[in-house]
Amino acid sequence: MKRPNIASVIAHWAAALAMILALYFGYGNGPRQEAFVAHAYAGLTVLGLVVVRLFLRTLLPWPDEESGGSRISRLVAEAMHWTLYALMLLTPLTGWIVASEVGCTAVPRLPNIDRLGSSFSIGHPVSAMTYHVHVFFVWSLLALISLHVTAALLHHFVFRDTILARMIPVLGQRAGSVSDSYPTANSRPHRLKKPGSNIVRTEKC
């Protein structure tokens, strides 16, 4: 089983955890100010991790997928992955623009946001438009993550391949140990031949 590099696997699950925290605090769980700050920093963490993942994807090639799938399914999977990367960049970035525009001092502020708003025909402020775009990206990201998780579970439980196992080290080790022991435990009787003898005997495992 060809595994991705461990750094990409760690960045993948760290980004997943950061997105869960961003969604949790984004829905106002906890005191309002603290929840907003936690939501903002979780989003910035996602933004940083996806940049790291894209860098690793360029530096360390991703292992080839298992053969057997159709070309269309591979193209759909590739398109889904790159769309996920794009949304994981755009969603926290638009949220960062909103936080900078409303003047949240607890989050590092992007420079020249006011100038960015005045450069568009909508004028100032840009946060009203960006907030709606941010919410749209959030729902789009949720929908795509749901498809991503569903596809991973289908590959594992229906197609019985290693797509999910190689992204979970413990699961991959168990799958490998089971596959290694399977031929020994379930093999047919094998024939042993003594050296220097023409006598062939059958011995069961």
Side-chain angles (χ1 to χ4, degrees):
M1 180 169 56
K2 297 180 180 179
R3 294 183 180 278
N5 59 86
I6 189 63
S8 294
V9 174
I10 293 173
H12 172 274
W13 292 111
L17 177 60
M19 281 189 286
I20 292 173
L21 292 175
L23 289 171
Y24 176 80
F25 291 111
Y27 280 100
N29 294 295
R32 184 174 180 179
Q33 183 65 25
E34 288 78 1
F36 179 81
V37 174
H39 169 74
Y41 275 103
L44 291 176
T45 302
V46 173
L47 182 62
L49 287 171
V50 73
V51 171
V52 171
R53 284 213 63 190
L54 290 172
F55 175 76
L56 291 173
R57 190 77 181 254
T58 304
L59 185 65
L60 304 172
W62 200 258
D64 295 333
E65 300 291 345
E66 294 180 342
S67 59
S70 65
R71 185 171 181 269
I72 294 178
S73 64
R74 289 195 296 270
L75 289 175
V76 170
E78 191 73 10
M80 180 182 291
H81 277 99
W82 286 109
T83 306
L84 266 174
Y85 286 137
L87 286 174
M88 289 171 65
L89 282 170
L90 293 173
T91 304
L93 186 58
T94 52
W96 196 3
I97 293 174
V98 173
S100 299
E101 175 66 19
V102 298
C104 178
T105 58
V107 179
R109 193 173 188 273
L110 286 172
N112 299 325
I113 292 299
D114 295 340
R115 187 178 301 174
L116 176 66
S118 61
S119 64
F120 294 109
S121 59
I122 60 170
H124 176 82
V126 72
S127 60
M129 179 197 69
T130 312
Y131 173 76
H132 294 293
V133 174
H134 177 66
V135 172
F136 172 77
F137 284 155
V138 168
W139 285 108
S140 301
L141 186 59
L142 280 174
L144 204 58
I145 289 173
S146 300
L147 289 175
H148 181 67
V149 172
T150 302
L153 294 176
L154 281 174
H155 275 280
H156 186 71
F157 292 107
V158 178
F159 303 136
R160 301 285 184 175
D161 55 30
T162 62
I163 296 295
L164 179 61
R166 65 183 185 175
M167 290 298 294
I168 306 177
V170 175
L171 184 61
Q173 291 174 1
R174 290 179 179 177
S177 62
V178 170
S179 62
D180 290 342
S181 61
Y182 183 82
T184 303
N186 298 276
S187 59
R188 295 179 179 180
H190 56 278
R191 309 177 76 185
L192 300 178
K193 184 177 181 180
K194 292 183 178 180
S197 171
N198 292 327
I199 301 175
V200 178
R201 62 190 181 87
T202 299
E203 183 177 297
K204 295 184 177 180
C205 297

